[in-house]
Amino acid sequence: MGHDDLPTLELAFPGPERDRGVAAILDGRKTALTGLLEIYEHAEEAVPQTGQRFSVLDSDGRPAVTIELVDVRVVPMKEIDDDFARAEGRGYSDVAEWRAAHEEFFRSDGVCAFLGRTPVIDEGTLVVAERFRVVKPGEPRDR
């Protein structure tokens, strides 16, 4: 299965933040990602499921890498731990740094424009916590 046969995944917004995220996946530092459940609901998109594969796009909209979700959970922000925060591959030393960065992003102009308002972000805010692995080109689904 090639990149073109898969649904696409875009990290953050095009630009330096997305480029850093794609680079972190490619070099193995990033094995987790977090999405705001409210964004999925607003976009009327289903929450991804374990086993799904995605073509991760770079800032130019080109496929950069294929990933397969190995764990997907919808949890309140307070349930994210240090291990998950570090698996995001963004250099967070602990969940406090992860939380500050995600609060800032979830309240960013781009997210607020998409939602049409500023989301409420607190301990109970539901996020989609995903762990994934990189799929090698030509790798079959059943390993």
Side-chain angles (χ1 to χ4, degrees):
M1 178 176 281
H3 288 296
D4 295 334
D5 302 326
L6 296 173
T8 58
L9 178 71
E10 297 175 281
L11 305 175
F13 295 106
E17 187 70 16
R18 179 175 297 168
D19 295 338
R20 283 191 294 273
V22 169
I25 292 172
L26 290 170
D27 71 18
R29 287 178 291 130
K30 183 172 185 62
T31 59
L33 52 95
T34 309
L36 184 63
L37 180 63
E38 186 175 348
I39 292 173
Y40 287 95
E41 293 171 342
H42 184 78
E44 297 182 353
E45 290 180 12
V47 171
Q49 300 295 311
T50 299
Q52 275 187 287
R53 288 185 176 183
F54 292 89
S55 178
V56 180
L57 303 181
D58 65 17
S59 287
D60 295 321
R62 295 182 305 238
V65 63
T66 298
I67 62 168
E68 180 177 85
L69 301 180
V70 296
D71 184 51
V72 180
R73 299 176 300 134
V74 176
V75 297
M77 285 186 83
K78 67 183 175 189
E79 289 187 22
I80 299 297
D81 60 17
D82 289 344
D83 180 61
F84 188 90
R86 286 189 286 272
E88 285 247 359
R90 302 288 188 148
Y92 308 131
S93 62
D94 60 22
V95 72
E97 287 182 7
W98 171 93
R99 171 85 183 254
H102 282 77
E103 284 183 11
E104 181 179 338
F105 178 75
F106 294 154
R107 290 184 179 127
S108 70
D109 291 343
V111 172
C112 293
F114 176 75
L115 294 175
R117 63 181 194 77
T118 302
V120 173
I121 307 297
D122 59 26
E123 292 287 308
T125 299
L126 294 177
V127 294
V128 181
E130 304 170 47
R131 290 194 181 257
F132 61 86
R133 68 178 189 86
V134 170
V135 177
K136 295 177 178 73
E139 182 180 321
R141 205 166 271 282
D142 296 323
R143 299 188 322 160

